[in-house]
Amino acid sequence: MQRYTSQQAADQVGMTPAAVRRYCAHGLVPEATERANGEWALTATSLARLRVVKACRLCGVSLPGIHAALVPQTQRPTATDVVGLRRLVEFGVVSRYHEGN
């Protein structure tokens, strides 16, 4: 399985390495592991999730809203987050999302 650094992932997805590290630290990126030197190792699955996170951010969804939508058992997204997430569903970027309980 190929591994990507934060810089390589950023180049592939079109965001900054700092954004990649921030999203990993927030638990939004599956299969991302932090190495002893503080660098993240990411997989192709991680890159796919970063693309979804980027699309969410472009639609105005907050980080807590993205977390609520993509990571079960978290807080409810705000009304603004729900509108952004619905746009993503309509455009086929996200097939389903979790609204919380």
Side-chain angles (χ1 to χ4, degrees), residues 13 15 18-33 40-58 61-75 77 81 85 88 94 98:
V13 177
M15 61 177 60
V20 170
R21 290 189 296 271
R22 183 173 53 250
Y23 299 145
C24 290
H26 278 286
L28 297 173
V29 184
E31 298 182 10
T33 54
W40 288 87
L42 299 102
T43 65
T45 300
S46 303
L47 297 183
R49 175 61 67 86
L50 283 170
R51 288 183 180 96
V52 171
V53 170
K54 180 181 176 181
C56 289
R57 295 296 290 151
L58 290 172
V61 181
S62 67
L63 285 181
I66 295 169
H67 199 274
L70 299 178
V71 182
Q73 308 301 322
T74 60
Q75 68 190 40
D81 294 332
L85 291 166
L88 292 169
V94 177
H98 171 76

